[in-house]
């Protein structure tokens, strides 16, 4: 079944921008983590995310068909053209919040990549197959850290509970559906995100329970990232540093 | 090199007659290139000097993450970002290997970190210089890691087993560092005039700090003799510096950049390049804490450590709870 | 300081069929995290297919002073090595 190119492009940008923006955030920790072992581990996560970005945005550029590269898409679009969920662009906060955000995202990715491996689009399936191994490790590691800190000292517990309340309103956006998602589902390229929620909730509630954290009762979900309609103020600053060289010295070989 | 100005814990070398039986056996092993291992007998001064040197070396790797980390979020392409991140991550790994080597002598990593943060241990002077443009990242990989490699290749033969093994692993991993740096600065030097200008600026600013990495001249390096006798140090500062200059000058010329020192000239008679002395008063200023970035670098490391305390404690507390629960269940 | 994570010794099997080899050490709060940290620290270049971790304090070792009594006696048992025996070439490989 043929699929509208714009929808496919939109879908790929959502994947690539999620990993691009989160990879950028995680890389900010390099050299500043609580202990060398964690510094090294976080850099590995960031490296995986950058690698996934190259695949997603590379394919997006190909589908777009305007002769652009993954780098063009990463470094030369402005904030309103980014399609990442808001969760990924939030500032790192403390180490606990960074790892909790990582877990909330990893859990989503681990469910999603499993489905995308069955995609009717071979390239999507291949990217998902590679990413799924990385994601499986990420979610294991971030879950362990969330449990360790949630069920650690009084202070670490308090900080993790605060982080969860801060991040929770950004979880819902990952499961929002629109006509792009409908088109992807109809073409068998990707599942409707809403259909992943149950599995996701089961996964995170187990981990958060082990972490002795209370899932907030509030169900309100911020949105606007994956449609590009309204990002947070933070994304513009992130892009300001990320894109600076490409903007200041256009057309160079680096 | 990452270990400059290590004061050997004793002054002067003992003659064979002054040595005890044990000391003589120890020196014989070293002279015969037999590695000293953690549980072997060793003179206290050897142990103390090594801890200081490996500790300073480890601190340099970790503080060395900062000037390059300064550009991770601004790397111009996805590939450059990944390469730089992998490289800075390696430095953390190297710090870890070196702390581990120091730990074999009974000095904990936390203790060494505390001494660094209290200003009682040092790290290489080079990391107190700023990285100001993207070409600096190329120059750091090429010149700074290049200088480090010259030293570290020699140190693979150092007498202390764990230190030597850490060096072997580090050298193996570092082989890509200098190359990625040179590759990055090549693109700049051969790029647009604005890129070339950045490359020239990087070489001009980092040249003298890089050759200072080898420490003071041999004439001023009074602590070297004992360290050389113990093979904690394998080549002299000036020897290593000359080796670095000889290998680097043609690389600068290949880039089509101006040499950063008017005194650089091939000396047919010596078979080496002549070059000007760096401003040693600047070197000693930086060592004393007055470099352009000393205050910020240390502040960043202390902040990372202090802000991370609750994380380390939290994870440890959880591990202890888990262990206790397991015992209770048995 | 009081709360330093324990030190673990890391052993990695580099390839299928090889034995685990000591590659270095690291700190971790417990064995599970030590395995994960070892994966992140010591297999960044695709160096391993299996990891063992042992808390450093649990390793027992020979004392350097015992080197003579422990290892020298075997030096004289040269008959344990195949080259000790002269076998005529006509017999074929053995």
């Amino acid at each position: 079944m043929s699929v509208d190119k714009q929808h496919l492009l939109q879908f790929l940008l959502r994947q690539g921008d999620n990993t691009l923006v989160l990879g950028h955030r995680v890389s900010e920790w390099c050299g500043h983590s609580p202990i060398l072992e964690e510094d090294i581990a976080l850099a590995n996560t960031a490296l995986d995310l950058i690698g996934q970005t190259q695949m997603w945005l590379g394919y997006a550029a190909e589908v777009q068909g305007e002769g652009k590269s993954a780098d063009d898409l990463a470094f030369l679009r402005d904030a309103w053209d980014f399609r990442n969920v808001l969760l990924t662009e939030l500032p790192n906060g403390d180490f606990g919040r960074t790892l909790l955000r990582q877990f909330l995202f990893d859990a989503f990715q681990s469910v999603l990549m499993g489905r995308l491996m069955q995609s009717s689009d071979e390239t999507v399936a291949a990217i998902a197959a590679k990413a799924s191994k990385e994601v499986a490790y990420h979610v294991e590691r971030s879950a362990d850290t969330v449990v360790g800190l949630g069920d650690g000292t009084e202070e670490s517990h308090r900080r993790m509970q605060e982080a969860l309340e801060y991040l929770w309103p950004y979880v819902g956006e990952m499961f929002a559906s629109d006509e792009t998602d409908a088109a992807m589902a109809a073409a068998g390229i990707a599942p409707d995100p809403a259909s992943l929620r149950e599995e996701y909730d089961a996964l995170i509630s187990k981990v958060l329970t082990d972490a002795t954290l209370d899932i907030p009762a509030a169900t309100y979900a911020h949105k606007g990232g994956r449609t590009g309609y309204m990002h947070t103020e933070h994304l513009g600053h992130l892009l300001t540093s990320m894109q600076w060289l490409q903007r200041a010295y256009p057309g160079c070989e680096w | 090199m990452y270990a400059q100005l290590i004061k050997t814990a004793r002054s002067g070398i003992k003659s064979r007659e002054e040595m005890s039986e044990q000391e003589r056996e120890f020196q014989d092993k070293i002279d015969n290139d037999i590695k000293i291992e953690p549980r072997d007998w060793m003179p206290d001064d050897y142990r103390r000097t090594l801890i200081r040197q490996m500790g300073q070396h480890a601190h340099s790797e970790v503080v060395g993450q900062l000037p390059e980390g300064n550009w991770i979020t601004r790397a111009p392409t996805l590939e450059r970002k990944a390469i730089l991140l992998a490289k800075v991550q390696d430095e953390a790994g190297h710090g870890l290997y070196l702390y581990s080597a120091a730990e074999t002598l009974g000095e904990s990593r936390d203790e060494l970190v505390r001494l660094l943060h209290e200003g009682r241990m040092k790290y290489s002077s080079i990391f107190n210089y700023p990285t100001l443009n993207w070409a600096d990242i190329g120059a750091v990989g090429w010149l700074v890691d290049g200088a480090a490699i010259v030293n570290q290749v020699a140190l693979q033969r150092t007498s202390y087993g764990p230190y030597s093994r850490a060096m072997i692993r580090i050298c193996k991993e570092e082989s890509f560092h200098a190359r990625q740096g040179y590759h990055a600065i090549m693109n700049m030097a051969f790029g647009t005039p604005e890129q070339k200008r950045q490359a020239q600026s990087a070489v001009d600013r980092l040249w003298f700090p890089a050759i200072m990495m080898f420490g003071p001249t041999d004439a001023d390096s009074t602590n070297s003799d004992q360290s050389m006798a113990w093979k904690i140090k394998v080549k002299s500062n000036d020897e290593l510096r000359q080796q670095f200059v000889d290998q680097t000058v043609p690389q600068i010329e290949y880039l089509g950049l101006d040499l950063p020192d008017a005194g650089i000239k091939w000396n047919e008679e010596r078979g080496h390049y002549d070059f000007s002395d760096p401003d040693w008063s600047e070197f000693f200023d930086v060592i004393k804490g007055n470099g352009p970035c000393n205050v910020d670098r240390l502040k960043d490391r202390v902040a990372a450590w202090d802000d991370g305390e609750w994380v380390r404690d939290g994870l440890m507390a959880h591990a202890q709870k888990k262990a206790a629960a397991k015992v209770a269940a048995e | 300081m009081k709360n330093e994570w324990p030190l673990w010794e890391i052993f990695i099997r580099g390839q299928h069929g090889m034995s685990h080899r000591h590659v270095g050490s690291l700190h971790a709060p417990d064995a599970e995290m030590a395995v994960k940290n070892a994966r992140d620290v010591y297999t960044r270049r695709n160096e391993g297919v299996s990891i063992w971790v042992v808390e450093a304090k649990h390793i027992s070792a020979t004392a350097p002073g015992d080197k003579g009594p422990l290892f020298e006696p075997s030096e004289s048992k040269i008959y344990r090595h195949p080259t000790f025996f002269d076998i005529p070439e006509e017999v074929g490989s053995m």
Side-chain angles (χ1 to χ4, degrees):
Chain A
M1 175 177 171
S2 78
V3 65
D4 181 274
K5 204 176 83 173
Q6 284 313 313
H7 282 315
L8 179 58
L9 174 61
Q10 184 85 347
F11 165 77
L12 294 170
L13 289 175
R14 285 173 177 175
Q15 306 309 315
D17 288 347
N18 276 347
T19 53
L20 171 64
V21 171
L22 187 62
H24 186 95
R25 283 295 186 216
V26 176
S27 77
E28 291 173 9
W29 275 100
C30 188
H32 303 276
S33 305
I35 191 163
L36 284 173
E37 284 81 355
E38 294 291 344
D39 208 68
I40 293 167
L42 269 185
N44 275 341
T45 301
L47 283 170
D48 288 342
L49 290 169
I50 296 168
Q52 291 168 20
T53 304
Q54 287 171 307
M55 296 191 286
W56 289 122
L57 292 187
Y59 187 33
E62 190 186 318
V63 167
Q64 190 184 36
E66 294 175 13
K68 289 185 181 158
S69 64
D71 280 340
D72 292 333
L73 291 177
F75 294 93
L76 298 174
R77 281 178 300 150
D78 205 342
W80 51 77
D81 285 332
F82 272 73
R83 294 291 179 267
N84 58 288
V85 291
L86 300 178
L87 179 73
T88 58
E89 70 196 44
L90 296 173
N92 285 335
D94 64 22
F95 184 82
R97 197 212 278 175
T98 299
L99 264 291
L100 183 57
R101 178 186 58 197
Q102 189 65 39
F103 169 67
L104 294 171
F105 181 76
D106 290 342
F108 176 75
Q109 289 292 84
S110 73
V111 176
L112 177 62
M113 289 306 130
R115 305 288 175 85
L116 290 186
M117 285 165 70
Q118 317 299 323
S119 175
S120 62
D121 182 309
E122 278 177 25
T123 309
V124 169
I127 296 173
K130 172 150 196 323
S132 70
K133 294 189 195 109
E134 296 167 352
V135 168
Y137 180 73
H138 295 175
V139 72
E140 209 183 302
R141 181 155 188 128
S142 59
D144 273 1
T145 311
V146 166
V147 170
L149 292 175
D151 181 40
T153 59
E154 225 170 276
E155 180 182 6
S156 72
H157 176 82
R158 173 181 60 76
R159 284 175 180 262
M160 294 308 278
Q161 186 63 44
E162 280 169 16
L164 184 56
E165 310 219 346
Y166 177 81
L167 294 171
W168 189 249
Y170 295 94
V171 169
E173 191 191 8
M174 294 190 284
F175 303 95
S177 297
D178 59 13
E179 70 261 29
T180 289
D181 299 297
M184 290 300 103
I189 294 176
D192 179 356
S195 70
L196 308 177
R197 182 84 204 224
E198 205 176 322
E199 196 179 336
Y200 179 83
D201 282 342
L203 174 58
I204 64 162
S205 61
K206 173 163 187 335
V207 170
L208 294 176
T209 305
D210 287 350
T212 70
L213 297 174
D214 297 323
I215 296 181
T219 54
Y220 183 77
H222 292 294
K223 57 180 187 299
R226 71 197 299 276
T227 61
Y229 175 69
M230 193 157 71
H231 280 282
T232 66
E233 290 178 345
H234 307 296
L235 181 62
H237 292 281
L238 184 153
L239 297 182
T240 300
S241 35
M242 186 172 94
Q243 300 181 336
W244 176 66
L245 275 175
Q246 289 267 5
R247 301 285 192 179
Y249 304 97
C252 290
E253 282 286 321
W254 300 98
Chain B
M1 117 125 35
Y2 275 3
Q4 301 154 317
L5 280 185
I6 296 296
K7 277 213 173 57
T8 305
R10 54 167 288 107
S11 51
I13 309 182
K14 277 191 193 174
S15 66
R16 269 195 93 74
E17 293 71 48
E18 290 171 300
M19 289 181 188
S20 68
E21 176 73 32
Q22 259 177 328
E23 286 172 326
R24 261 197 300 274
E25 267 178 38
F26 176 81
Q27 190 62 49
D28 287 344
K29 268 164 99 177
I30 288 184
D31 294 342
N32 290 316
D33 282 330
I34 296 172
K35 298 285 181 223
I36 307 302
E37 295 297 339
R39 289 158 54 95
D40 291 345
W41 182 88
M42 61 188 83
D44 279 347
D45 292 338
Y46 175 86
R47 178 189 300 270
R48 279 207 295 272
T49 309
L50 258 178
I51 289 175
R52 228 176 280 168
Q53 179 167 335
M54 293 190 290
Q56 182 168 324
H57 199 152
H59 296 330
S60 299
E61 299 281 357
V62 172
V63 178
Q65 288 186 274
L66 298 173
E68 289 182 284
N70 182 35
W71 280 88
I72 289 173
T73 57
R74 290 179 291 172
T77 67
L78 293 169
E79 190 178 69
R80 288 284 174 209
K81 195 209 286 263
I83 293 169
L84 180 58
L85 182 55
K87 196 229 166 217
V88 181
Q89 180 198 39
D90 274 351
E91 310 300 354
H94 299 170
L96 190 153
Y97 307 157
L98 287 158
Y99 284 126
S100 300
E103 282 173 294
T104 60
L105 293 178
E107 189 77 335
S108 79
R109 189 202 298 177
D110 281 12
E111 173 64 9
L112 289 168
V113 166
R114 188 176 65 84
L115 292 170
L116 171 71
H117 292 177
E118 289 176 359
R120 291 161 60 195
M121 281 185 85
K122 306 226 176 285
Y123 54 88
S124 175
S125 56
I126 188 71
F127 302 118
N128 291 312
Y129 290 87
T131 52
L132 301 177
N133 69 47
W134 175 251
D136 285 19
I137 293 309
V140 167
W142 161 45
L143 296 177
V144 174
D145 285 55
I149 289 166
V150 165
N151 183 55
Q152 290 174 167
V153 164
L155 274 178
Q156 293 181 94
R157 292 188 286 117
T158 191
S159 62
Y160 187 56
Y163 193 22
S164 155
R165 290 191 286 275
M167 278 299 119
I168 290 168
R169 192 177 181 96
I170 287 171
C171 285
K172 213 162 87 190
E173 296 188 354
E174 284 226 341
S175 55
F176 101 88
H177 292 185
R179 293 172 71 98
Q180 66 82 29
Y182 196 69
H183 188 261
I185 204 164
M186 256 169 56
N187 280 3
M188 301 292 282
F190 298 149
T192 64
E194 280 160 321
Q195 285 178 300
K196 185 168 183 182
R197 188 176 152 215
Q198 294 178 43
Q200 185 68 56
S201 153
V203 171
D204 289 346
R205 271 180 292 109
L206 288 166
W207 171 256
F208 282 112
I211 65 170
M212 287 180 201
M213 287 172 69
F214 297 93
T217 57
D218 293 350
D220 291 326
S221 186
T222 47
N223 304 307
S224 289
D225 293 354
Q226 181 63 73
S227 284
M228 298 277 271
W230 279 335
K231 293 188 188 165
I232 289 176
K233 211 170 158 168
V234 183
K235 284 187 180 177
S236 82
N237 295 354
D238 286 337
E239 256 180 289
L240 292 166
R241 189 170 8 249
Q242 183 69 59
Q243 190 184 333
F244 172 72
V245 171
D246 287 348
Q247 78 181 36
T248 307
V249 170
Q251 294 167 349
I252 302 176
E253 285 169 339
Y254 179 81
L255 295 174
L257 298 176
D258 296 333
L259 293 173
D261 164 18
I264 295 178
K265 259 185 212 77
W266 179 251
N267 183 327
E268 194 63 52
E269 205 175 305
R270 291 202 307 128
H272 291 292
Y273 282 97
D274 291 337
F275 54 97
S276 311
D277 265 342
D279 174 358
W280 288 113
S281 66
E282 175 182 318
F283 172 76
F284 288 107
D285 268 339
V286 174
I287 293 281
K288 265 184 239 141
N290 296 320
C293 301
N294 293 59
V295 174
D296 287 339
R297 296 285 188 251
L298 198 59
K299 189 176 69 84
D300 279 0
R301 284 310 310 159
V302 171
W305 186 251
D306 289 352
D307 295 347
E309 188 177 8
W310 73 269
V311 175
R312 296 188 302 274
D313 288 353
L315 293 175
M316 193 65 224
H318 176 70
Q320 283 161 349
K321 280 188 211 177
K322 231 169 48 174
K326 205 173 152 199
V327 170
E330 273 161 10
Chain C
M1 231 110 308
K2 337 98 228 170
N3 231 352
E4 184 161 13
W5 289 359
L7 186 67
W8 300 78
E9 297 301 334
I10 311 303
F11 301 81
I12 291 186
R13 186 200 301 284
Q15 291 168 32
H16 292 286
M18 308 290 280
S19 45
H20 287 76
R21 232 186 94 217
H22 183 241
V23 294
S25 41
L26 50 73
H27 289 270
D30 60 21
E32 286 80 10
M33 286 310 294
V35 169
K36 289 201 168 72
N37 288 346
R39 180 262 189 201
D40 281 309
V41 171
Y42 286 106
T43 67
R44 301 200 299 286
R45 287 175 171 75
N46 206 6
E47 293 107 327
V49 295
S50 164
I51 298 172
W52 286 350
V53 302
V54 184
E55 198 175 341
K57 69 176 183 195
H58 294 313
I59 291 186
S60 309
T62 55
D66 295 343
K67 222 170 4 194
L70 281 175
F71 305 120
E72 274 165 31
S74 71
E75 278 173 21
S76 58
K77 304 199 175 42
I78 47 173
Y79 45 80
R80 282 188 187 277
H81 299 276
T83 47
F84 178 76
F85 306 94
D86 279 333
I87 304 288
E89 250 174 60
E90 302 90 283
V91 178
S93 73
M94 188 176 282

